[in-house]
Amino acid sequence: MFKGRKLLIATKHKKENVIAPIFEKELGVSCFVSDKFDTDTLGTFSGEIERKDSVLTTLRNKCLLAMKENDCDLGIASEGSFGMHPTIFFAHADDEFLIFIDKKNKLEIIARELSMNTNFNGSEIKNEVELLEFATQVQFPSHGLILKPSEKDISKIVKGITDERILKESFNEMMKEFGKVYVETDMRALYNPTRMKVIKTATLKLASSIRSLCPMCETPGFVVSDAKMGLPCECCNSATRSTLSFIYTCKKCSHISEELYPHKKKTEDPTYCDFCNP
């Protein structure tokens, strides 16, 4: 279905470095990038352009618009969000989504990777000592930095800083002009190797999902659509809140399949039973 076809990677931040090798190996496609569509028009991390839509809507639009500009029927795009972890308080997280669209075969497959492996951070800095302490904390200079007058003020902004001399010079210039400086991590993939690793993990997930075929019609993307709770307690046999099965659904023919005991265990420890350990 995909071998020998051209696959557009909609990016201007070097994400093809991790995406292309995986997809060329797993699907036999020929990957390429193009500057015909500027993905930054849909939003920037540094705030110059606000992302107006949800992550998934932005992701889909990014891929489809880039495909349209390049007259291509096979495309992939990624979109990340950074902030507090949705379930683990006081922890930052990188939430990466990837989408694969095949217009020819009317396919859309999405993968997600939520990771606490991120250096996402920002702080108002008063002097060079604080600046260098922050830089060390967020893995500078292998990871880039951004300077601006304040967190919300983008009247002046210096991005992609990976050199200490430039960091100090930009900081001092901004201090003279505004009397304060806000420093934050540059979360664009080409300036953030940690984020690039998360994108790679999400790419592997996406490739695996594409290779998963429906047993009835062999359409790619036969992946988990739901999970059933109810794994029995090994002590009292009551249903627990642990996963009993995964439900797989085909987006094309709607075939449904249930996989029992996906975590390779048929009972749950009484520690996680609401009756044995209320």
Side-chain angles (χ1 to χ4, degrees):
M1 186 177 288
F2 309 114
K3 191 173 182 180
R5 294 173 64 188
K6 286 188 175 182
L7 171 66
L8 169 66
I9 302 175
T11 182
K12 61 180 292 185
H13 298 145
K14 304 295 183 183
K15 296 174 188 175
E16 70 271 13
N17 290 347
V18 294
I19 295 174
I22 293 171
F23 271 82
E24 288 181 347
K25 177 184 176 182
E26 300 296 335
L27 300 187
V29 294
S30 176
C31 295
F32 73 101
V33 294
S34 169
D35 59 4
K36 290 184 178 180
F37 175 71
D38 184 358
T39 56
D40 277 354
T41 58
L42 298 177
T44 59
F45 291 120
S46 44
E48 304 100 314
I49 302 174
E50 181 182 356
R51 187 172 66 190
K52 297 179 180 179
D53 298 311
S54 67
V55 173
L56 287 177
T57 298
T58 302
L59 177 68
R60 186 175 291 107
N61 287 340
K62 180 187 292 187
C63 195
L64 289 173
L65 288 170
M67 291 169 70
K68 181 180 179 181
E69 289 296 323
N70 287 276
D71 192 24
C72 180
D73 60 10
L74 196 62
I76 186 171
S78 88
E79 185 73 9
S81 293
F82 302 88
M84 301 308 295
H85 194 283
T87 58
I88 303 174
F89 299 120
F90 309 113
H92 285 145
D94 175 3
D95 200 2
E96 295 288 346
F97 286 84
L98 264 74
I99 191 168
F100 176 85
I101 296 178
D102 180 358
K103 288 184 178 180
K104 180 180 177 181
N105 294 293
K106 297 180 180 179
L107 287 175
E108 177 184 291
I109 302 171
I110 295 172
R112 179 188 186 187
E113 176 67 11
L114 178 62
S115 175
M116 290 174 59
N117 185 23
T118 180
N119 73 330
F120 175 71
N121 208 343
S123 179
E124 187 172 303
I125 300 297
K126 299 180 179 65
N127 52 60
E128 274 193 14
V129 173
E130 290 183 359
L131 177 68
L132 295 178
E133 286 178 352
F134 179 90
T136 299
Q137 179 187 346
V138 297
Q139 305 175 62
F140 177 86
S142 64
H143 292 61
L145 292 176
I146 292 174
L147 295 180
K148 50 190 179 182
S150 69
E151 185 176 6
K152 302 298 183 182
D153 186 353
I154 55 173
S155 58
K156 184 173 183 178
I157 186 167
V158 184
K159 302 195 290 185
I161 304 171
T162 57
D163 179 270
E164 186 173 320
R165 180 184 60 81
I166 296 175
L167 178 64
K168 289 180 178 179
E169 288 178 355
S170 300
F171 170 77
N172 289 321
E173 287 176 9
M174 208 168 284
M175 279 295 290
K176 288 178 182 178
E177 186 174 352
F178 299 97
K180 59 180 180 177
V181 175
Y182 188 84
V183 58
E184 65 185 25
T185 47
D186 194 330
M187 302 313 298
R188 292 175 296 171
L190 73 167
Y191 291 107
N192 202 294
T194 298
R195 183 188 175 205
M196 197 72 90
K197 289 179 181 178
V198 180
I199 293 174
K200 181 177 181 179
T201 301
T203 302
L204 289 167
K205 276 188 175 182
L206 181 58
S208 177
S209 296
I210 295 169
R211 292 198 312 271
S212 180
L213 306 180
C214 171
M216 297 299 289
C217 69
E218 296 190 338
T219 296
F222 190 67
V223 295
V224 176
S225 57
D226 198 4
K228 286 186 178 180
M229 297 186 297
L231 193 67
C233 171
E234 66 180 22
C235 181
C236 71
N237 206 43
S238 297
T240 69
R241 285 183 259 185
S242 297
T243 302
L244 173 66
S245 66
F246 281 158
I247 306 299
Y248 292 78
T249 306
C250 177
K251 294 181 180 179
K252 185 175 182 180
C253 73
S254 300
H255 172 71
I256 297 176
S257 177
E258 183 175 14
E259 177 192 3
L260 286 169
Y261 317 120
H263 298 308
K264 311 305 177 186
K265 58 180 183 179
K266 296 185 177 182
T267 57
E268 184 56 283
D269 189 291
T271 303
Y272 304 102
C273 176
D274 290 338
F275 292 93
C276 296
N277 189 29

